[in-house]
Amino acid sequence: MKNYKKIPFNRIKDIESYVEKKLKAGHIIIQIRVNEDNKQIDELISYANDKECESYYRSLTDSDEQLRTCVISECMELYYAFKDEKREAGTCDIDIDADLQDVIDFYEFKKDIKDMKEHYSGESFQWKDYDDSSCHYEFYISLEKGDIANFGGCLEIDFVTEWMEEQGYYHK
């Protein structure tokens, strides 16, 4: 991936401090749940900190200070129109089916990351809530400061498209 790398959990002793430091430096963290059976990303959660108040999240917070000192998150379920025979004209090949936006404090963010610890290895598990598909989690971090102005839509779709192409699951 040209703008992201997998988070090297085995080389980081204090992952909670690492991700907090990276977010405060302007990096973006992306967590994906990969559906191995359907060869796609079922869920993507992206995290960022918008110190310069450049994202559209500015309108979702109580103040600029809240935006500067908290973590913005975007939880998306994706729609793969290229797999859908009933697709409507004008629909992008890979698009957002549903999304939830949130602003959380760093304490809650670090707790969420810590709670995912059992999935750092990327080992497969059965996703009971969905369709008993084999799944695994992957975690990525932007190589440089992230494109916060496109956070919550274009940034994530570009990530998914690149990931799907790299896996051989999608070709433009």
Side-chain angles (χ1 to χ4, degrees):
M1 308 220 34
K2 65 183 175 194
N3 296 318
Y4 295 87
K5 69 176 181 175
K6 277 190 174 180
I7 296 177
F9 291 110
N10 59 343
R11 297 192 330 241
I12 301 169
K13 289 184 181 170
D14 184 356
I15 190 64
E16 294 87 7
S17 294
Y18 170 81
V19 294
E20 179 179 18
K21 178 181 166 187
K22 289 296 189 176
L23 283 181
K24 287 181 176 179
H27 294 262
I28 292 173
I29 295 173
I30 296 180
Q31 168 188 313
I32 58 174
R33 187 179 69 238
V34 178
N35 184 317
E36 298 165 4
D37 297 337
N38 293 334
K39 298 179 174 32
Q40 64 189 29
I41 296 170
D42 280 346
E43 179 186 68
L44 178 148
I45 303 175
S46 52
Y47 301 97
N49 175 241
D50 188 6
K51 285 196 293 194
E52 276 106 48
C53 300
E54 298 173 340
S55 71
Y56 79 91
Y57 279 83
R58 187 174 193 191
S59 64
L60 301 175
T61 59
D62 296 333
S63 66
D64 286 354
E65 186 60 27
Q66 182 186 18
L67 192 57
R68 286 185 189 103
T69 60
C70 290
V71 177
I72 54 178
S73 71
E74 186 81 32
C75 180
M76 297 180 174
E77 292 179 14
L78 301 155
Y79 171 60
Y80 298 96
F82 70 94
K83 294 182 175 187
D84 188 353
E85 294 175 8
K86 298 175 187 170
R87 148 189 186 171
E88 293 182 27
T91 304
C92 297
D93 278 358
I94 299 173
D95 210 343
I96 301 167
D97 188 35
D99 73 356
L100 293 164
Q101 299 132 359
D102 203 1
V103 178
I104 58 177
D105 62 30
F106 272 95
Y107 175 81
E108 186 176 342
F109 166 71
K110 291 187 329 184
K111 182 185 174 309
D112 290 348
I113 292 295
K114 187 175 183 177
D115 289 348
M116 290 299 294
K117 193 171 194 159
E118 69 184 89
H119 298 292
Y120 292 170
S121 67
E123 289 184 29
S124 294
F125 62 94
Q126 295 303 117
W127 185 253
K128 302 275 184 222
D129 293 346
Y130 191 62
D131 61 1
D132 275 343
S133 295
S134 292
C135 296
H136 70 270
Y137 283 96
E138 295 180 12
F139 302 83
Y140 292 86
I141 189 163
S142 61
L143 297 174
E144 298 175 1
K145 185 177 176 183
D147 183 8
I148 196 73
N150 286 312
F151 185 85
C154 296
L155 179 142
E156 288 83 357
I157 295 303
D158 290 346
F159 175 90
V160 171
T161 302
E162 185 177 349
W163 187 92
M164 292 283 288
E165 288 174 333
E166 193 172 277
Q167 303 304 311
Y169 300 156
Y170 171 72
H171 305 284
K172 286 184 183 182

